[in-house]
Amino acid sequence: MLVEAVIKNGAQTTGEGPHWDEETGTLLYVDIWEGDVHRWNPSTGVDQKVHLGGPVTFIVPSKKGGYIIGQNRSICHLDWDSEKLDTLHTVEEGTANRFNDGKCDRNGRLWTGTMGVELKDGMEEERGTLYSVDGISGLRSHIDKVTISNGMAWSADNKTMYFIDSPLKVIYAFDYKAETGNISNKRVAIHVVNGFPDGMTIDTEDKLWVACFSAGRVVRYDPETGNELRVIEIPSKRTTSCCFGGDNFDDLYVTSCAKHVSVEELTLSEVLKEEPLAGSVFRVTGLGVRGQAASKYTG
Ligand code: CA
């Protein structure tokens, strides 16, 4: 197994939301507070970016062309070449909340949730909501009183959805109905001991790979037993999310945070002095497991 920083210091602030686009063979990710979306091509090594203004929290390709992104309290469509941004939905107006992680289920329905303000001494609790968006039902809310809406994943049989509310240090499982997008029967699948569960992905054996913020690691869990199966140490403490990519979906890409603007007091150069690879995107090869293609937005 090899862990390498393939996009060294790719993010100036919080690198997040890695998504492997199999059609173009590129890795998409965001730099939340810098307000940039990135598109990195591993064959050329070129990391393109579009500056949108932060916070920008996720990027997912749309089947109709372009990308769906989360920016502050809005879900928008981005045309990469013209950099034209169209707002599709805005939520929770009049609050200081913002969207966070976002991902599509296998039906191409976008799931994304909100969170309150990060304060120096903690979080505004239970201010967020988990939503879904599709072309038929539009925007729907599913769970309220979420503190930091984060990682999502769906089991291979498409009957279970997993969801992370980070400060609670748990990963929830729900019964999931693919046709309607309804979720029910909320229960705790996993308790995370080291760090805070942040973004996650799932492999073809239905095991979860969870980036643990503050712990510098990605952990493979069995959601049936809640057991930790494997720990991958990443040379950046604030690991934020992960996805499988590459031609065979057997490379694990991991994003990390450099300067966490809302609460960080150190400057970027002070952070990098302590942790030279902070903000990098890492690739883990030789794991012996595979993921599958992430879904595009079909709405
Ligand atoms: Ca996250």
Side-chain angles (χ1 to χ4, degrees):
M1 190 200 69
L2 177 69
V3 180
E4 44 183 342
V6 286
I7 315 174
K8 204 174 165 226
N9 307 119
Q12 305 290 297
T13 66
T14 309
E16 262 284 5
H19 176 110
W20 179 264
D21 182 14
E22 64 169 342
E23 198 176 311
T24 56
T26 55
L27 183 79
L28 306 165
Y29 68 101
V30 301
D31 187 344
I32 293 184
W33 301 104
E34 193 72 6
D36 292 339
V37 291
H38 288 247
R39 188 167 70 182
W40 176 72
N41 186 328
S43 10
T44 61
V46 174
D47 188 15
Q48 295 177 301
K49 64 181 176 186
V50 174
H51 180 69
L52 303 173
V56 174
T57 63
F58 65 85
I59 176 166
V60 176
S62 170
K63 220 165 188 173
K64 294 175 183 161
Y67 301 90
I68 303 298
I69 63 124
Q71 185 186 43
N72 207 4
R73 279 177 293 285
S74 296
I75 297 167
C76 307
H77 176 271
L78 168 71
D79 178 80
W80 188 282
D81 293 329
S82 67
E83 302 189 6
K84 188 170 180 285
L85 203 56
D86 292 307
T87 301
L88 306 178
H89 296 279
T90 299
V91 301
E92 303 171 23
E93 282 178 280
T95 72
N97 292 359
R98 67 166 174 92
F99 273 113
N100 198 32
D101 206 350
K103 201 180 268 190
C104 287
D105 63 22
R106 291 198 195 92
N107 291 42
R109 184 187 287 121
L110 175 73
W111 290 77
T112 180
T114 53
M115 56 185 278
V117 176
E118 290 159 284
L119 308 166
K120 283 208 170 69
D121 53 355
M123 273 295 303
E124 284 186 345
E125 291 176 5
E126 300 187 346
R127 300 283 179 97
T129 300
L130 177 67
Y131 299 92
S132 70
V133 187
D134 63 55
I136 298 161
S137 309
L139 179 84
R140 294 170 61 197
S141 66
H142 294 270
I143 313 169
D144 60 2
K145 296 194 171 165
V146 175
T147 296
I148 301 184
S149 180
N150 247 319
M152 285 156 259
W154 291 268
S155 62
D157 67 5
N158 226 6
K159 289 185 174 164
T160 306
M161 175 173 167
Y162 299 101
F163 172 66
I164 290 173
D165 189 348
S166 295
L168 308 180
K169 299 184 72 144
V170 294
I171 300 172
Y172 292 113
F174 293 86
D175 293 348
Y176 164 73
K177 290 260 185 294
E179 320 78 58
T180 58
N182 290 341
I183 54 174
S184 59
N185 188 23
K186 179 184 181 184
R187 66 261 182 201
V188 173
I190 295 163
H191 289 274
V192 171
V193 178
N194 292 307
F196 295 89
D198 195 334
M200 69 174 158
T201 191
I202 193 162
D203 64 31
T204 55
E205 296 164 16
D206 265 349
K207 305 296 185 279
L208 296 171
W209 292 78
V210 182
C212 296
F213 193 87
S214 295
R217 51 169 57 180
V218 176
V219 180
R220 186 185 195 224
Y221 286 100
D222 184 345
E224 294 297 320
T225 61
N227 290 342
E228 200 175 280
L229 301 175
R230 198 165 169 186
V231 175
I232 311 297
E233 303 283 350
I234 304 291
S236 177
K237 209 170 68 192
R238 292 179 297 185
T239 38
T240 54
S241 190
C242 57
C243 75
F244 284 101
D247 294 341
N248 301 311
F249 290 95
D250 55 358
D251 298 332
L252 185 73
Y253 285 99
V254 183
T255 49
S256 68
C257 173
K259 185 171 157 57
H260 198 53
V261 165
S262 59
V263 289
E264 183 82 53
E265 286 179 342
L266 297 178
T267 64
L268 181 59
S269 56
E270 282 167 341
V271 171
L272 295 178
K273 209 174 279 174
E274 303 252 309
E275 219 185 294
L277 292 176
S280 299
V281 178
F282 300 88
R283 179 169 60 199
V284 189
T285 47
L287 283 169
V289 297
R290 297 176 58 225
Q292 52 182 306
S295 298
K296 293 187 174 193
Y297 180 68
T298 55

